[in-house]
Amino acid sequence: MAAVGGHPAQGGGAGGGAGHEGVPSEFRAAVAALDGARLRPEVQLAPAPAPRRLAPYSFAVTASVEIDGEELADGRLVLLYDPAGQEAWNGEFRVVTMTRAELEPEMAGDPMVSEVGWSWLLDTLQANGAGYAEPSGTVSLASSQYFGGLADRPSSTEIEIRASWTPADGRFERHLAAWADLLCVSAGLPPTAPAPQGPAEVPSLGGVVPMPARRRPRSH
């Protein structure tokens, strides 16, 4: 199996292993499309080891949202490719993501926060014009209270969105851009209209409801 780490925003993906002899042209083209994604400047990508057991070919990156040196959210995106297709995917490609951010207290107490978190994903996909099928995932909340030497820290709640879907349009750059926007919205940044990803204009993120702006660094 070919597991490929990469850094699409800096052109390191296709050359990091996806261009090796024997790698299908469809997978090389998909990684090249990720290389052309236009992301918000707050999103910083880094290479990541790709999983080797989920599909014959895979590509992975991690990302963080940083403002003035403060990390507000982080996550991981994996692109899987199985030339034979997989029944559960209903296709040959699958995008698998994890998004994590700390919620502000007023958002953490909202009983609908899990539903809101899932809607952020669907809204950012739609706003970026990313066609998708078979979406699935979980939205988890983890609350922390600190004691002893850490008792001076305020309690915190972290949201984690794990999701996967099947790209249905061949526009892989739009899927990476949508996930990057999900990171930003989860971090409490105001939604903005992404840059066009092709000849057609991409709709704005006007339907996305952001969480309240962050006022403190994430706890590690």
Side-chain angles (χ1 to χ4, degrees):
M1 294 186 179
V4 182
H7 198 328
Q10 296 183 357
H20 288 179
E21 185 177 354
V23 175
S25 59
E26 293 84 355
F27 184 63
R28 295 200 307 269
V31 173
L34 296 180
D35 185 67
R38 302 177 186 179
L39 309 182
R40 291 177 58 161
E42 299 92 344
V43 179
Q44 305 296 318
L45 293 182
R52 296 179 177 272
R53 298 181 180 180
L54 299 179
Y57 303 93
S58 58
F59 177 89
V61 293
T62 59
S64 61
V65 176
E66 299 180 8
I67 301 291
D68 298 329
E70 177 187 338
E71 183 179 302
L72 305 181
D74 67 288
R76 184 173 188 239
L77 180 143
V78 178
L79 178 65
L80 304 175
Y81 176 60
D82 187 340
Q86 295 194 18
E87 184 177 357
W89 299 357
N90 193 24
E92 299 175 352
F93 286 93
R94 189 74 172 174
V95 175
V96 181
T97 65
M98 185 275 288
T99 304
R100 182 173 56 192
E102 186 179 330
L103 293 173
E104 287 299 315
E106 57 267 43
M107 191 70 177
D110 187 337
M112 297 294 291
V113 66
S114 295
E115 287 80 1
V116 170
W118 185 250
S119 73
W120 289 340
L121 169 67
L122 301 184
D123 287 346
T124 53
L125 286 167
Q126 181 179 7
N128 281 273
Y132 64 92
E134 307 297 337
S136 63
T138 62
V139 179
S140 304
L141 301 177
S143 298
S144 299
Q145 290 189 327
Y146 302 93
F147 302 92
L150 302 177
D152 58 338
R153 291 190 182 183
S155 59
S156 63
T157 300
E158 187 175 77
I159 186 171
E160 183 177 277
I161 305 169
R162 292 183 177 268
S164 64
W165 62 90
T166 298
D169 53 4
R171 302 299 299 272
F172 298 96
E173 72 279 6
R174 294 185 177 183
H175 295 264
L176 177 57
W179 176 67
D181 285 339
L182 173 63
L183 279 168
C184 291
V185 172
S186 300
L189 300 182
T192 61
Q197 299 290 318
E201 290 294 319
V202 178
S204 72
L205 287 173
V208 178
V209 179
M211 64 187 245
R214 187 174 310 282
R215 295 189 296 272
R216 62 180 185 274
R218 278 190 68 212
S219 301
H220 294 284

